Amino acid sequence: RGLVVCAGGAQPLVNAFVSLYVLHHTLNSTLPAALLHWGPAEVSGGTRAFFGVHLPSVRFVDIAEEYPEWHRPLGGAELGYQLKTLALYVAPFREVIMLDSDATPLQALAPLLDLPLFKRRGNLFWPDFWHDEPGVWAALGLRADDPWEHGIDPWEPRWDEPGAADREDGRPGGQFYKI
């Protein structure tokens, strides 16, 4: 069990540091954390040293080193959201809580992994901050319905943000490509 945050570059790393610092030092989270990035240029030695002083338990994982040969090439200079599926693939934990670098939890996250819905389905996802803006959903050709309020099948592909996932047999299945 552990937390995964994708971050590379100055602003996402600052955001990730704040989130992880709050989790570990304010909310007393005991979940181990991994910060995943793409390539050595995204995380400097100074950044690693800073994390080492203030959050020594955080592991850095370079997704580029773990990139599967069978996967299609990633495009564009800004990888960002494209790394989330791969982050689940290379995460050093079987049960993963993936947190956006700009999200700061208000309570400990480990209890999410004990929820009956997570145990039954093997995953939990939640919408991004703009989930209630109908114009965004309509432009994407998606519904803004909350599956728990409206009885929608949670397996139906929706526009969701990171959440918690249980990796079967140590690697994610095709369902992660619906994220």
Side-chain angles (χ1 to χ4, degrees):
R1 291 182 153 188
L3 298 168
V4 168
V5 179
C6 291
Q11 191 59 52
L13 285 167
V14 168
N15 292 341
F17 174 80
V18 170
S19 294
L20 293 172
Y21 191 88
V22 166
L23 275 165
H24 287 273
H25 295 286
T26 303
L27 300 174
N28 300 314
S29 174
T30 57
L31 283 175
L35 198 148
L36 283 75
H37 60 94
W38 183 265
E42 285 197 342
V43 180
S44 70
T47 298
R48 287 177 188 266
F50 181 82
F51 270 80
V53 169
H54 299 284
L55 291 167
S57 65
V58 172
R59 295 163 58 176
F60 286 84
V61 178
D62 184 348
I63 296 175
E65 292 178 4
E66 305 288 333
Y67 194 74
E69 292 180 20
W70 52 262
H71 199 286
R72 67 181 180 195
L74 294 178
E78 285 290 325
L79 294 175
Y81 71 91
Q82 297 178 37
L83 296 182
K84 291 179 181 178
T85 300
L86 291 172
L88 288 172
Y89 183 80
V90 304
F93 316 111
R94 178 176 170 157
E95 292 181 328
V96 176
I97 294 178
M98 182 177 276
L99 191 64
D100 274 351
S101 65
D102 62 354
T104 302
L106 300 177
Q107 63 185 38
L109 299 175
L112 292 173
L113 299 172
D114 294 320
L115 290 174
L117 183 60
F118 176 78
K119 296 231 180 255
R120 188 171 65 249
R121 300 282 191 182
N123 63 51
L124 294 171
F125 298 98
W126 43 83
D128 204 348
F129 68 92
W130 46 261
H131 75 279
D132 60 349
E133 297 178 23
V136 172
W137 290 92
L140 295 171
L142 300 170
R143 296 190 322 225
D145 294 331
D146 179 345
W148 291 278
E149 289 181 16
H150 303 288
I152 296 171
D153 181 357
W155 286 104
E156 180 181 336
R158 298 183 325 275
W159 190 260
D160 287 327
E161 279 298 294
D166 183 359
R167 298 180 350 171
E168 289 295 322
D169 300 323
R171 294 290 180 213
Q175 69 269 21
F176 291 114
Y177 286 89
K178 294 181 181 177
I179 297 174

